[in-house]
C-alpha cells in the first residue's frame, strides 16, 4: 500500500493539468507546450541525480522519451483542443484494459480477473462521470486521444520491462530530456518563435513542469517497478476523478447524482485491482521461508570412536573390536 499511495501522486497531479492548461497555458502552441513541459522537468531531475545514460539506455531513453513524453504530450494537447474534456477523458480511461493486455506478451504479466473486473468497473464509472452526450465530437480528436492512450500504455510497459538495473530518478530524467530535445526543433520549424510567457503563464508552466511532470512521472515509474502493470494503470483512473473534483471546487460545477455514482464506481475499481496480502495458514501463524543461500540443517555428526575407546575405524562403518 506504500507503493500504491506513492503511485497515486501521479494521476492526481495529472488530473490538475486539465484545469491549469485550460485556464493559463496557450492553446495554439501544442508543440512548444509539450517541449516546455518535458525539457525543464528532465533538466531538473538531471540536476538532482547526475547520471548519464550507459550502455543500452542511450537508445532506450530516446525510444521511451519519444513515446512517453514528446508524442504523448502533443497528442494529449491536441485531443484537449479538439474534444470536450469529458470525451477525451473517457477515451483515455480505456487504458487500464489496454495496459493489462500489452503487459501480457511484453513482461509476462498474465491479467488477473481482479484487474479485468476493476478496469471494467472503473471505465463504467468514468463514463458515468464524464460522458454527458455533448456535441462537437471530432473524429481527429478521438483518434488523437486513442493514439495517446495506446502510445502511453505501450511506452509504460516498455519502461517497466527495461527498468531493471536503472535508477528510477535518472531514467525518468533521461526520458524527459530526450522527449524535450526531440520537440524543440520541431516546434521551432512548425510553430515559429516561442509564445510569450506572462507571469501567470510562467507560473502555470512551473507547476506543470515540476509537479505534474517531474514529480508525477518519478512516482509513476516507481510504481511501475514495484506493482503489477494492471494495478498501476487502475490507479491512473484517479486522473479524471481529480479533474471532475477540481471543476466542482474552482469552476463552479455541480456534482450530479450521475457523477457521484461514477466517482464511487471508479474508487471501487481502483480498490478491486489492488494487490492482496497472502492469507496465513494454521491459525494465522506465518511460516517463515529460509533465505536462498541458507543451507538446510544437517543431522549432527556422530563422532568416530578412537583407539583409546577400544575401537578401530574401518571405513564408513565402525566395528568394535576387543582391545589387545
Amino acid at each position: 500500500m506504500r507503493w500504491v499511495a506513492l503511485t497515486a501522486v501521479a494521476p492526481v497531479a495529472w488530473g490538475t493539468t486539465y484545469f491549469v492548461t485550460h485556464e493559463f497555458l496557450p492553446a495554439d502552441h501544442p508543440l512548444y507546450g509539450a517541449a516546455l513541459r518535458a525539457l525543464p522537468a528532465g533538466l531538473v531531475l538531471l540536476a538532482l541525480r547526475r547520471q548519464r545514460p550507459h550502455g543500452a539506455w542511450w537508445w532506450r531513453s530516446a525510444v521511451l522519451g519519444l513515446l512517453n513524453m514528446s508524442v504523448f504530450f502533443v497528442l494529449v494537447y491536441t485531443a484537449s483542443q479538439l474534444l470536450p474534456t469529458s470525451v477525451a477523458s473517457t477515451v483515455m480511461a480505456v487504458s487500464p484494459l489496454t495496459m493489462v493486455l500489452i503487459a501480457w506478451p511484453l513482461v509476462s504479466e498474465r491479467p488477473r480477473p481482479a484487474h479485468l473486473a476493476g478496469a471494467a468497473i472503473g471505465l463504467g464509472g468514468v463514463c458515468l462521470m464524464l460522458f454527458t452526450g455533448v456535441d462537437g465530437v471530432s473524429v481527429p480528436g478521438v483518434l488523437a486521444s486513442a493514439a495517446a492512450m495506446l502510445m502511453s500504455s505501450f511506452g509504460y510497459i516498455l519502461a517497466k520491462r527495461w527498468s531493471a538495473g536503472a535508477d528510477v530518478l535518472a531514467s525518468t530524467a533521461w526520458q524527459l530530456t530526450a522527449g524535450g530535445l526531440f520537440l524543440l526543433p520541431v516546434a521551432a520549424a512548425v510553430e515559429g518563435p516561442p509564445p510569450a510567457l506572462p507571469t501567470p503563464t510562467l507560473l502555470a508552466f512551473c507547476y506543470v513542469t515540476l509537479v505534474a511532470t517531474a514529480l508525477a512521472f518519478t512516482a509513476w515509474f516507481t510504481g511501475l517497478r514495484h506493482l503489477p502493470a494492471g494495478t498501476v494503470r487502475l490507479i491512473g483512473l484517479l486522473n479524471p476523478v481529480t479533474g471532475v473534483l477540481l471543476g466542482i471546487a474552482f469552476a463552479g460545477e455541480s456534482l450530479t447524482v450521475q457523477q457521484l455514482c461514477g466517482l464511487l464506481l471508479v474508487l471501487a475499481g481502483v480498490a478491486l485491482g489492488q494487490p492482496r496480502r497472502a492469507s496465513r495458514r494454521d491459525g494465522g501463524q506465518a511460516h517463515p521461508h529460509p533465505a536462498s543461500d541458507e543451507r538446510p540443517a544437517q543431522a549432527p555428526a556422530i563422532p568416530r570412536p578412537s583407539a583409546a575407546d577400544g575401537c578401530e575405524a574401518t571405513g564408513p562403518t565402525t566395528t568394535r573390536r576387543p582391545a589387545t
Side-chain angles (χ1 to χ4, degrees):
M1 297 307 298
R2 179 176 68 253
W3 300 119
V4 169
L6 177 63
T7 308
V9 172
V12 171
W14 293 334
T16 62
T17 59
Y18 294 112
F19 176 78
V20 175
T21 302
H22 180 74
E23 295 292 332
F24 301 105
L25 299 186
D28 54 346
H29 290 82
L31 294 174
Y32 273 117
L36 293 177
R37 179 180 178 181
L39 185 57
L43 295 178
V44 167
L45 294 183
L46 279 178
L48 296 177
R49 186 61 55 89
R50 299 180 180 180
Q51 294 183 12
R52 293 185 300 174
H54 51 83
W57 269 102
W58 284 103
W59 64 267
R60 288 178 179 177
S61 300
V63 172
L64 295 177
L66 190 64
L67 295 175
N68 294 334
M69 309 303 172
S70 55
V71 178
F72 174 69
F73 287 165
V74 172
L75 288 173
V76 168
Y77 212 121
T78 303
S80 64
Q81 291 180 354
L82 299 177
L83 291 176
T85 303
S86 59
V87 179
S89 301
T90 302
V91 175
M92 289 295 295
V94 187
S95 56
L97 290 172
T98 306
M99 193 170 181
V100 167
L101 296 177
I102 293 177
W104 193 353
L106 289 183
V107 294
S108 300
E109 285 189 5
R110 184 183 299 272
R112 297 184 302 174
H115 285 154
L116 298 177
I121 293 175
L123 175 60
V126 172
C127 292
L128 280 178
M129 282 196 309
L130 302 176
F131 192 73
T132 57
V134 294
D135 298 328
V137 177
S138 66
V139 175
V142 173
L143 293 177
S145 185
M149 179 265 298
L150 292 174
M151 193 75 65
S152 63
S153 299
F154 182 68
Y156 295 156
I157 293 300
L158 281 183
K160 179 177 178 63
R161 181 177 181 179
W162 293 341
S163 62
D167 182 79
V168 174
L169 195 63
S171 61
T172 305
W174 302 335
Q175 296 178 51
L176 287 167
T177 304
L181 292 177
F182 282 139
L183 285 170
L184 272 183
V186 179
V190 175
E191 297 178 354
L197 299 179
T199 301
T201 304
L202 183 60
L203 293 177
F205 267 119
C206 289
Y207 171 80
V208 172
T209 297
L210 298 178
V211 178
T213 304
L215 176 62
F217 274 96
T218 301
W220 186 254
F221 289 131
T222 302
L224 278 174
R225 178 169 295 189
H226 293 89
L227 295 172
T231 299
V232 173
R233 206 53 180 151
L234 285 172
I235 300 173
L237 291 175
L238 295 175
N239 185 340
V241 173
T242 304
V244 170
L245 294 180
L246 283 179
I248 296 172
F250 296 100
E253 300 176 4
S254 59
L255 183 63
T256 64
V257 176
Q258 176 179 337
Q259 289 176 321
L260 180 59
C261 294
L263 176 62
L264 295 178
L265 281 178
V266 169
L267 296 179
V270 173
L272 182 61
Q274 301 313 309
R276 296 289 186 267
R277 294 180 179 270
S279 59
R280 294 185 175 184
R281 302 177 181 177
D282 299 337
Q285 297 297 327
H287 298 276
H289 296 279
S292 58
D293 58 347
E294 183 180 347
R295 298 182 179 180
Q298 299 178 354
I302 302 177
R304 295 184 177 183
S306 61
D309 298 326
C311 300
E312 180 178 325
T314 57
T317 60
T318 304
T319 305
R320 182 176 298 271
R321 297 180 180 177
T324 56

